[in-house]
Amino acid sequence: MTGEYGLKRHFNGDAARLIGGKIREVHPEFDVEDYAVEVERRIPGKELKDRVLVLAEGLRSRLPQDYPESVRILVSILGDELAEGEGMFNVSWYLMPVARFVEEYGLDHPEVSLDALVEITKRHTAEYAIRPYIEQHYDLTMKRMADWARDPSHNVRRMASEGTRPRLPWARTLTMFVKDPQPVLEILEPLRSDPSEYVRKSVANNLNDISKDAPDVALATALRWRQESPTPETAWIVRHALRTLVKKGNQEALAIVGVTGGEHIRVPSMRLSPRSLTLGESTLIRLDVENTDSRRHTVAVDYVVHHVRKNGQSIPKVFKLTTLELAPGERRTVEKSHPVREVSTRRYYPGEHLVDIQVNGQVLATDRFDLRL
């Protein structure tokens, strides 16, 4: 299939053969080639999640109809737990249909399924699969989540946070937590200074989700965490968690992360070089930042790329540039190379891309580059 991009291109007949081959080692009756042929026939025109569902449906029709037995077989093929820093989308991406299997077919067996999701999340992730269990088996699942938040495995602890994110990308919104995030905060409490970067990033993303619907709750939580847990780990979580509010120029969020003086900062010059790119190239962002005040200030400098979409409209994406300590009257030059390359979550289209410079959430300069494909 030519022209395919992103993660979805991996979920095809070859993925079915990979999964099927592992299953056949423990379940010899599994027809690997029949599975692969069916997947190849059904995936054309489908996006990632629908392709993963095709693979999960193929597993359901070929594994024993007894769900606990089917799950036992699938858990037996999972392999070793991922170490810190090993990515679920580059090491164990092919396990996504296994998690989808539990999501789709296991709700009548919550205990068995939650046990399986713990094992899956150690090797891949179960952040999507857990969500219907939260909705349909709330008390049981949230009790498990609270236990997982104290698990020795960083992968399981991360699952406690990631699985409860109110607005997890690619997943259904957990409206109950949008309306009342307190149960989520109770899960996050023991994770606010976690030693694992993988866990900390999830905790920060979760609190950032909360900040979009309940900014006052997120701000109060962040401030309390900073006061009660004065560790570098908590400080990092708070900075990352408040990024949306910081980018909006929320003064309370800026104060919590130690950013000041936005009204006294100028960007007298900014330039992109080159301004004409093809996919795979980079443009150098170069700018001067000046503090016009008589006091020292800490400023957060970000840049926003307005990505052109297929319909000609654009979607802004904010990237962290730097945090600067500027003395009174100081002017500092900042450079950053921005690569224009496709990733699993973004496809580029030709056209003029605006790039804004934000200081403490305020746009102070703009330039543009033209992308040619």
Side-chain angles (χ1 to χ4, degrees):
M1 275 163 267
T2 59
E4 291 192 338
Y5 63 93
L7 187 61
K8 75 171 186 180
R9 73 183 186 275
H10 297 295
F11 290 95
N12 52 24
D14 289 338
R17 291 183 183 92
L18 175 59
I19 299 169
K22 293 179 179 294
I23 292 173
R24 189 165 58 188
E25 292 179 6
V26 295
H27 184 61
E29 305 96 289
F30 193 89
D31 191 333
V32 177
E33 194 56 33
D34 183 67
Y35 179 39
V37 169
E38 179 189 328
V39 168
E40 287 287 8
R41 176 176 57 81
R42 294 185 57 198
I43 62 169
K46 289 182 168 59
E47 295 302 320
L48 173 63
K49 294 179 70 174
D50 289 336
R51 290 188 177 206
V52 172
L53 179 58
V54 166
L55 280 128
E57 289 172 343
L59 294 175
R60 173 73 283 191
S61 65
R62 290 170 175 82
L63 287 170
Q65 287 305 297
D66 179 67
Y67 173 80
E69 175 61 14
S70 295
V71 166
R72 185 195 66 77
I73 292 170
L74 291 174
V75 168
S76 73
I77 72 165
L78 294 177
D80 296 333
E81 179 170 358
L82 294 177
E84 180 83 31
E86 287 187 310
M88 60 186 174
F89 290 131
N90 54 29
V91 174
S92 56
W93 58 269
Y94 62 90
L95 293 177
M96 193 178 287
V98 176
R100 188 65 181 271
F101 182 96
V102 178
E103 177 181 355
E104 295 291 331
Y105 306 115
L107 283 168
D108 291 337
H109 303 270
E111 294 277 5
V112 171
S113 296
L114 291 172
D115 288 344
L117 291 179
V118 168
E119 298 307 316
I120 291 168
T121 207
K122 291 178 182 179
R123 285 86 173 177
H124 178 61
T125 184
E127 65 206 58
Y128 310 111
I130 195 68
R131 296 170 92 77
Y133 291 87
I134 294 174
E135 294 173 333
Q136 298 191 35
H137 301 285
Y138 180 84
D139 290 339
L140 172 63
T141 306
M142 292 302 285
K143 183 181 183 303
R144 290 286 193 98
M145 289 285 208
D147 293 339
W148 295 344
R150 294 171 170 82
D151 195 272
S153 167
H154 66 281
N155 291 305
V156 177
R157 296 196 307 277
R158 187 255 188 189
M159 167 66 167
S161 170
E162 199 73 3
T164 55
R165 283 182 61 181
R167 295 188 177 276
L168 179 67
W170 297 2
R172 67 177 83 185
T173 298
L174 292 175
T175 55
M176 67 184 78
F177 296 149
V178 170
K179 295 176 181 177
D180 178 15
Q182 189 57 41
V184 178
L185 294 174
E186 292 173 6
I187 298 293
L188 298 184
E189 197 67 26
L191 303 173
R192 66 187 186 181
S193 186
D194 199 273
S196 165
E197 181 182 0
Y198 191 45
V199 177
R200 292 196 301 271
K201 184 175 181 180
S202 176
V203 174
N205 286 338
N206 198 325
L207 192 57
N208 183 58
D209 279 2
I210 292 171
S211 78
K212 297 172 184 177
D213 300 295
D216 291 344
V217 173
L219 287 165
T221 300
L223 181 60
R224 179 173 59 81
W225 283 4
R226 284 296 302 265
Q227 293 170 342
E228 296 177 354
S229 178
T231 68
E233 291 80 9
T234 299
W236 186 93
I237 287 173
V238 166
R239 285 196 304 273
H240 198 60
L242 297 183
R243 65 189 184 276
T244 296
L245 295 177
V246 165
K247 290 165 187 173
K248 290 180 177 179
N250 182 288
Q251 294 305 301
E252 188 174 351
L254 289 166
I256 290 173
V257 300
V259 171
T260 60
E263 69 275 19
H264 300 289
I265 306 302
R266 294 195 315 125
V267 178
S269 66
M270 174 207 178
R271 180 175 176 81
L272 303 181
S273 179
R275 287 196 175 110
S276 181
L277 303 172
T278 58
L279 197 61
E281 295 180 332
S282 299
T283 185
L284 180 67
I285 305 170
R286 181 183 174 91
L287 61 140
D288 290 337
V289 184
E290 182 180 10
N291 177 14
T292 64
D293 197 15
S294 59
R295 295 171 297 167
R296 175 181 296 273
H297 290 294
T298 300
V299 296
V301 185
D302 304 313
Y303 66 100
V304 187
V305 179
H306 296 263
H307 294 109
V308 175
R309 309 311 298 151
K310 189 175 183 180
N311 62 7
Q313 297 180 344
S314 63
I315 297 178
K317 168 67 175 175
V318 181
F319 297 88
K320 183 66 180 175
L321 186 53
T322 189
T323 299
L324 296 177
E325 293 277 352
L326 294 176
E330 183 179 3
R331 180 168 174 166
R332 191 92 59 85
T333 299
V334 178
E335 292 185 348
K336 174 66 181 289
S337 179
H338 178 76
V340 181
R341 58 171 180 263
E342 287 187 357
V343 294
S344 60
T345 56
R346 183 185 312 122
R347 185 177 185 182
Y348 281 95
Y349 294 91
E352 184 179 76
H353 290 60
L354 298 182
V355 180
D356 296 329
I357 298 298
Q358 285 188 175
V359 180
N360 293 6
Q362 304 299 314
V363 176
L364 299 184
T366 301
D367 202 351
R368 64 206 71 221
F369 67 84
D370 185 65
L371 179 62
R372 297 171 286 105
L373 297 185

